Amino acid sequence: MGTPSKTRNIGIFAHIDAGKTTVTERILFYSGRTHRLGDVDHGTAVMDWMPQERERGITIVSAATTCEWRDTRINIIDTPGHVDFTAEVERSLRVLDGGVGVFCAVGGVEPQTETVWRQAQRYSVPTLAFVNKLDRQGADFDRVLQMMTDILGEVPLPVMLPVGQGSDFKGVIDVLEQKALYFDMESLGTKFETREIPDDYKDAAAAALEKVKESVSELDDEAMERYFAGELEKEEISALLRKGTIEGAFIPVLCGAALRNVGVQRLIDAIVDWLPAPEELPSVTGIKPNGKEETRDRSDTEPFTALVFKIQTDPHLGRLAYLRVYSGKANDGQPIFNNRTGKKERLTRLVMMHADKRIHLDSVSEGDIAAAGMKNAATGDTLTALGKPLTLETIHFVDPVMEMAIEPVSTGDEKKLEDTLLDMTSEDPSLRVGVDRETGQTLIRGMGELHLEIVVDRMKREKKLNVRTGRPQVSYRESVSSIGRATDTFERLIGGKGNYGNATVEVRPAESGISFVSEVSTLPNLFLEAAKSGVMGSVSAGVLAGYPLDGVEIVLTAAKIHETDSTELGYSSSAAIALRKALQDASPVIREPLMKVDIVTPIDYMGDIIGDVNARRGTVVSIDQRGEAQAILANIPLAELFGYTSALRSLSQGRAGYTMQFSEYSEVPPNVQRKLLEKMGITY
């Protein structure tokens, strides 16, 4: 599929509506991969290939594609910007070597931009920035740079500057070349003129070049000397820009207006020039079956190692596993080892994807992103050569915050619903399936109303399955507000043999998650593991209302041993019962998901909107100017946000918009907790 040094694996990510998919469509068009310009607004974008994406004008699943530019293969993953689909972003960033963050010149760094940027930082993904929509009213390039510094904590380094902004936007300045570029609209931007920089912009362009030289020279002592001597050449500046980008010393910032076909070619140049080839990144490290670490170089001579980052059901090829190859080589049809299942599996129907189209491949090697037919692979699985096992770090996903009851319209379709949900949860790790403990109904859990709506829509369209659904409900959690302690002794004669276990468990409030710690040094490991298993097997339902536990530290503080009758069953049962008693002793509380809501509104409606936020138990965190509008950032409980789209529309005559993302689980106020329990018929 191409040599690793001539390969770039990149993702394009941003806040919803910043223009990611439009940027990707332009890259494909200018590189000759497509011969007409796709358009999100008209539902003709190549990358938004699902009917639901075309209807809504948003990206839902990450789409993979590939193109060539200056003899370099660029594998691109276009990721969603909507918060309900952050799992798609997470798994894409896990396998990419570089990224392009797209920023709206009006909105700047918006909450979802920050979330995705933090995800990229967690995986140390070298990144370029592209400030888009400079032709929009209220565009402010300098303000976006300032927000990158203040909010993201990055060092933005402009290598392009706009000529005019808003309705005055005419073209861009190439800082390294010290030339202005004007794009020809009739040729859809394929042709552009290089001219001298207009007098009004000469000082700013010279200052920007000086800033680039100063920043890159700090990476190398000899370059610093040449910089002071005035001898730093353009080729060396570009090489040092690449070094600094890969090391994360700064973020090269380019700019343009993708919809008007301005500035995208220079962005593709920057991807080739400054983002890393697979071989330039550190070796991959994994865990062998014996628990020891092993490092494999990113080379074809090393054993085959790949990570499955996505499962998708293809209408023509069946179940496909998307994989990123980190080392070695594998041929179509070759048997490989799945380190999670511990079984051999065959790589069949090896293909390279272009959105929903596919090209057959004979083999894949280090640096490639491809898809293969695999029955038993799941997201996060490590695939290796036979006899060379190794498990790479898997992909972590946020827990769902919303749930909805679902059942087939026809009772004869129960098995079909079960199979469909199995398929869909293997494709989408942020979709979970559970059972309502009281009614026995099937529940689907997801990241928000839109996420669950898309899931149901896909069932009807793709699987031809008619279902009935309940109203979306919030996924609550249970925690504790004080320390609780309890002891339980399990003594039972089973099959003529005594079973004994004794455990003292303490529960303590924690920020989030569930942790188990043992302070007992005298308990044999076999019984300690049994006690842990009993405790962790009980965390899916709390003692107050049966919600899963969250924000609890569980400590095994003491345990007694019987001379003859101690058994694993005894310790697992006594620890589980002691946990239930300790939870009741620790003033249990209900927690609810709190959402970070970003509302953009004309100033005239601010008072009403803030009043409404307060009425929804929300807290205003900040109010900022965003172009000519005001941006209100607030924390609001998810339970109060059902139907918020319509409410905001009526408060602002349809002129305000919002996005939201999960922030944290937070304790509900006592009066809300009382109402929730009363609704469930629980007196406490």
Side-chain angles (χ1 to χ4, degrees), residues 391-414:
T391 302
L392 301 177
E393 182 193 350
T394 189
I395 307 170
H396 304 288
F397 299 104
V398 179
D399 285 337
V401 294
M402 194 170 277
E403 62 189 29
M404 182 166 74
I406 188 167
E407 62 183 23
V409 170
S410 161
T411 50
D413 279 343
E414 282 177 6

Side-chain angles (χ1 to χ4, degrees), residues 395-684:
I395 307 170
H396 304 288
F397 299 104
V398 179
D399 285 337
V401 294
M402 194 170 277
E403 62 189 29
M404 182 166 74
I406 188 167
E407 62 183 23
V409 170
S410 161
T411 50
D413 279 343
E414 282 177 6
K415 179 72 171 73
K416 189 174 181 183
L417 175 63
E418 195 181 309
D419 293 344
T420 297
L421 287 172
L422 194 64
D423 279 352
M424 294 184 89
T425 49
S426 71
E427 284 184 29
D428 180 358
S430 62
L431 176 68
R432 313 275 169 84
V433 177
V435 176
D436 187 306
R437 294 174 72 222
E438 289 182 7
T439 64
Q441 281 180 301
T442 300
L443 296 175
I444 53 172
R445 298 188 170 112
M447 299 309 296
E449 280 183 280
L450 179 63
H451 185 197
L452 296 178
E453 192 184 309
I454 297 289
V455 166
V456 172
D457 194 31
R458 287 188 62 198
M459 282 183 185
K460 290 174 180 173
R461 291 197 201 201
E462 294 171 25
K463 311 292 184 183
K464 305 289 186 280
L465 177 64
N466 285 323
V467 291
R468 271 192 295 264
T469 58
R471 285 183 58 210
Q473 307 284 331
V474 172
S475 276
Y476 291 100
R477 299 282 187 269
E478 282 187 34
S479 187
V480 292
S481 56
S482 64
I483 294 174
R485 188 183 293 106
T487 303
D488 184 76
T489 302
F490 181 89
E491 288 181 289
R492 196 167 295 172
L493 206 61
I494 300 173
K497 185 183 182 307
N499 283 269
Y500 176 87
N502 169 280
T504 301
V505 169
E506 185 173 284
V507 292
R508 304 165 185 166
E511 283 278 313
S512 63
I514 300 162
S515 62
F516 175 85
V517 182
S518 172
E519 292 177 350
V520 182
S521 55
T522 53
L523 196 62
N525 200 46
L526 187 70
F527 299 146
L528 176 61
E529 284 302 314
K532 181 180 179 180
S533 169
V535 162
M536 299 312 282
S538 302
V539 299
S540 61
V543 294
L544 196 54
Y547 295 123
L549 294 184
D550 177 61
V552 182
E553 184 185 356
I554 304 166
V555 185
L556 183 69
T557 57
K560 290 179 184 171
I561 301 172
H562 193 282
E563 284 182 13
T564 57
D565 291 355
S566 289
T567 61
E568 289 172 77
L569 172 66
Y571 287 98
S572 122
S573 301
S574 61
I577 297 164
L579 170 66
R580 311 292 292 174
K581 292 178 181 174
L583 288 168
Q584 281 164 339
D585 184 47
S587 309
V589 290
I590 294 176
R591 288 178 138 201
E592 63 183 345
L594 205 60
M595 309 303 281
K596 192 191 283 184
V597 184
D598 183 41
I599 307 158
V600 180
T601 175
I603 196 164
D604 307 359
Y605 309 106
M606 263 186 62
D608 289 345
I609 288 171
I610 290 172
D612 183 64
V613 166
N614 294 331
R616 292 173 186 271
R617 298 195 284 122
T619 312
V620 174
V621 177
S622 65
I623 299 172
D624 296 309
Q625 185 84 20
R626 194 172 291 171
E628 292 178 359
Q630 297 290 318
I632 303 164
L633 188 60
N635 288 329
I636 307 175
L638 178 61
E640 307 292 338
L641 284 166
F642 289 98
Y644 189 57
T645 305
S646 316
L648 187 63
R649 199 175 288 139
S650 64
L651 282 170
S652 64
Q653 296 181 3
R655 294 178 64 197
Y658 80 101
T659 56
M660 68 175 181
Q661 64 190 83
F662 172 70
S663 175
E664 62 183 350
Y665 268 93
S666 169
E667 195 176 314
V668 301
N671 63 319
V672 176
Q673 177 163 309
R674 195 166 50 252
K675 281 180 189 169
L676 274 170
L677 293 174
E678 282 170 6
K679 205 172 165 185
M680 297 171 77
I682 299 169
T683 50
Y684 186 81

Side-chain angles (χ1 to χ4, degrees), residues 161-219:
L161 299 173
V163 178
Q165 297 185 79
S167 55
D168 297 329
F169 181 60
K170 296 181 179 68
V172 292
I173 293 165
D174 186 322
V175 170
L176 267 59
E177 297 285 354
Q178 288 290 291
K179 294 286 183 188
L181 311 177
Y182 295 89
F183 290 75
D184 171 42
M185 293 301 120
E186 283 186 23
S187 68
L188 299 175
T190 52
K191 295 176 186 168
F192 54 89
E193 272 185 64
T194 305
R195 301 185 206 157
E196 291 304 311
I197 297 169
D199 291 344
D200 295 358
Y201 295 90
K202 278 184 177 168
D203 289 349
L209 180 59
E210 198 59 30
K211 175 81 173 123
V212 169
K213 287 180 178 177
E214 184 187 326
S215 300
V216 300
S217 64
E218 287 173 2
L219 301 170

Side-chain angles (χ1 to χ4, degrees), residues 287-323:
I287 306 294
K288 293 168 69 175
N290 61 10
K292 291 184 178 175
E293 280 193 354
E294 181 180 307
T295 299
R296 290 184 182 171
D297 292 337
R298 293 174 182 252
S299 154
D300 278 359
T301 57
E302 290 274 327
F304 177 73
T305 314
L307 184 79
V308 175
F309 67 95
K310 179 180 168 78
I311 301 292
Q312 185 176 311
T313 305
D314 183 278
H316 303 284
L317 297 175
R319 195 170 186 273
L320 286 179
Y322 281 69
L323 47 107

Side-chain angles (χ1 to χ4, degrees), residues 56-76:
R56 288 171 168 82
I58 60 167
T59 301
I60 292 168
V61 297
S62 351
T65 189
T66 186
C67 63
E68 289 202 11
W69 186 260
R70 288 172 32 205
D71 294 330
T72 301
R73 176 171 296 288
I74 303 173
N75 295 320
I76 304 170

Side-chain angles (χ1 to χ4, degrees), residues 51-169:
Q52 294 88 343
E53 294 178 310
R54 293 191 164 177
E55 285 163 13
R56 288 171 168 82
I58 60 167
T59 301
I60 292 168
V61 297
S62 351
T65 189
T66 186
C67 63
E68 289 202 11
W69 186 260
R70 288 172 32 205
D71 294 330
T72 301
R73 176 171 296 288
I74 303 173
N75 295 320
I76 304 170
I77 294 184
D78 171 34
T79 63
H82 196 287
V83 63
D84 282 14
F85 308 106
T86 46
E88 290 288 334
V89 182
E90 184 78 22
R91 58 172 158 206
S92 303
L93 288 169
R94 172 68 180 83
V95 298
L96 294 170
D97 304 332
V100 176
V102 179
F103 296 81
C104 170
V106 181
V109 177
E110 297 173 270
Q112 186 63 8
T113 325
E114 188 182 353
T115 302
V116 178
W117 203 269
R118 300 276 175 253
Q119 287 172 302
Q121 279 181 326
R122 190 162 66 247
Y123 293 120
S124 304
V125 178
T127 311
L128 305 173
F130 183 75
V131 179
N132 192 26
K133 302 193 176 185
L134 276 160
D135 56 328
R136 286 265 302 274
Q137 202 60 39
D140 189 337
F141 182 71
D142 291 335
R143 181 174 158 277
V144 179
L145 298 180
Q146 194 58 52
M147 290 175 87
M148 287 179 73
T149 305
D150 297 344
I151 299 172
L152 302 180
E154 296 289 0
V155 180
L157 194 59
V159 290
M160 284 173 80
L161 299 173
V163 178
Q165 297 185 79
S167 55
D168 297 329
F169 181 60

Side-chain angles (χ1 to χ4, degrees), residues 226-403:
R226 282 193 289 281
Y227 166 60
F228 285 126
E231 296 168 356
L232 207 56
E233 297 296 327
K234 193 178 72 183
E235 288 72 19
E236 188 176 6
I237 293 169
S238 188
L240 288 168
L241 271 167
R242 179 185 191 82
K243 183 177 191 286
T245 305
I246 294 171
E247 291 175 1
F250 43 69
I251 307 289
V253 182
L254 298 97
C255 63
L259 198 60
R260 283 183 57 192
N261 313 311
V262 175
V264 178
Q265 289 94 324
R266 280 291 188 266
L267 173 62
I268 319 177
D269 285 335
I271 290 166
V272 171
D273 291 338
W274 302 327
L275 289 181
E279 59 191 18
E280 292 175 273
L281 291 162
S283 304
V284 290
T285 302
I287 306 294
K288 293 168 69 175
N290 61 10
K292 291 184 178 175
E293 280 193 354
E294 181 180 307
T295 299
R296 290 184 182 171
D297 292 337
R298 293 174 182 252
S299 154
D300 278 359
T301 57
E302 290 274 327
F304 177 73
T305 314
L307 184 79
V308 175
F309 67 95
K310 179 180 168 78
I311 301 292
Q312 185 176 311
T313 305
D314 183 278
H316 303 284
L317 297 175
R319 195 170 186 273
L320 286 179
Y322 281 69
L323 47 107
R324 162 68 204 267
V325 185
Y326 286 102
S327 67
K329 185 177 180 178
N331 297 322
D332 188 23
Q334 181 175 325
I336 46 92
F337 182 70
N338 184 327
N339 288 261
R340 177 183 59 86
T341 61
K343 292 180 179 171
K344 189 166 75 169
E345 200 165 345
R346 206 170 281 278
L347 281 181
T348 58
R349 307 186 301 281
L350 210 50
V351 290
M352 180 170 64
M353 298 299 288
H354 171 50
D356 61 338
K357 308 285 191 301
R358 58 209 72 71
I359 301 156
H360 176 74
L361 297 171
D362 294 325
S363 65
V364 284
S365 55
E366 188 263 317
D368 286 346
I369 289 179
M374 297 184 75
K375 280 182 186 170
N376 302 312
T379 299
D381 285 359
T382 305
L383 311 175
T384 53
L386 297 179
K388 302 287 183 182
L390 189 76
T391 302
L392 301 177
E393 182 193 350
T394 189
I395 307 170
H396 304 288
F397 299 104
V398 179
D399 285 337
V401 294
M402 194 170 277
E403 62 189 29

